Amino acid sequence: MKALNTGDLHLTNRCPINRIDNYEEEVLRKFHWILTTAYSNNCKTILQPGDFSDAPNLSYDFFIKICSLINHSNITIVTVPGQHDFRYRNANNTFLRALEEACPSLIVLWKPQYIEIEGVHIYGSGWGEQIPEIQDLTKYNILITHRMVVDEKLWDNQENFNYA
């Protein structure tokens, strides 16, 4: 299995206060670039560690544009939910949940679990979730998680992280 790994996408059409370009256009261009890069490198899968969107309630127009890009990409995207993907700690009625329903190639691991793609077990652990137990040590196993993982603390009072 050949996969492209990304970080948090934080897809949004809401322009930050100091941006002067067409922010939505730029976000869509960058997401298209990720999908095109995966395709041109023969990666059939993208592994994405949560915060797919920057907010759970983005516009319908933006939803249609992202959905169209995913559905025309011929790429499977496997993700877990990050805190920005939830609405009041709930997955219902969210941008990511709607994308999951509208895009057959988007797989969201909503609870600690795994799926198998081409003989590889891909485990998911979203924001605030426990890391699941590996089910088969004879398989190649990949973990997608939404958490801060560091070799050492980045500042003295840092909290909410895991050591690598």
Side-chain angles (χ1 to χ4, degrees):
M1 179 180 131
K2 189 172 183 181
L4 178 82
N5 302 314
T6 70
D8 301 13
L9 297 176
H10 286 276
L11 298 176
T12 186
N13 60 339
R14 297 177 182 159
C15 185
I17 194 165
N18 291 321
R19 291 292 293 253
I20 58 173
D21 58 350
N22 184 328
Y23 188 70
E24 177 180 340
E25 193 174 282
E26 193 63 22
V27 167
L28 292 169
R29 186 186 67 77
K30 288 179 180 179
F31 186 52
H32 182 262
W33 179 84
I34 290 169
L35 296 168
T36 302
T37 299
Y39 181 80
S40 65
N41 285 281
N42 298 313
C43 298
K44 295 179 183 173
T45 306
I46 293 175
L47 305 177
Q48 198 279 324
D51 284 349
F52 196 86
S53 64
D54 198 51
N57 56 346
L58 298 172
S59 74
Y60 295 128
D61 184 58
F62 189 68
F63 170 83
I64 291 167
K65 291 172 184 175
I66 293 296
C67 192
S68 179
L69 286 171
I70 293 170
N71 286 336
H72 289 96
S73 72
N74 202 27
I75 304 287
T76 298
I77 301 172
V78 182
T79 188
V80 296
Q83 70 271 31
H84 289 94
D85 296 313
F86 287 106
R87 180 186 300 244
Y88 309 115
R89 300 182 187 261
N90 190 321
N92 295 329
N93 199 25
T94 62
F95 185 80
L96 185 59
R97 180 76 181 92
L99 276 179
E100 178 185 35
E101 287 297 317
C103 302
S105 64
L106 177 66
I107 300 167
V108 183
L109 303 175
W110 288 106
K111 58 185 177 185
Q113 62 180 337
Y114 77 92
I115 60 166
E116 186 171 334
I117 298 177
E118 296 181 26
V120 175
H121 285 188
I122 301 171
Y123 289 80
S125 170
W127 176 70
E129 295 177 335
Q130 295 293 320
I131 293 175
E133 296 277 332
I134 295 175
Q135 299 299 310
D136 187 347
L137 292 174
T138 66
K139 298 283 187 181
Y140 190 73
N141 298 288
I142 297 173
L143 172 66
I144 305 172
T145 187
H146 188 77
R147 59 183 65 215
M148 174 73 71
V149 179
V150 297
D151 289 326
E152 58 186 51
K153 283 187 172 185
L154 301 176
W155 61 91
D156 287 338
N157 295 328
Q158 184 179 6
E159 297 177 355
N160 301 318
F161 68 92
N162 294 93
Y163 284 110

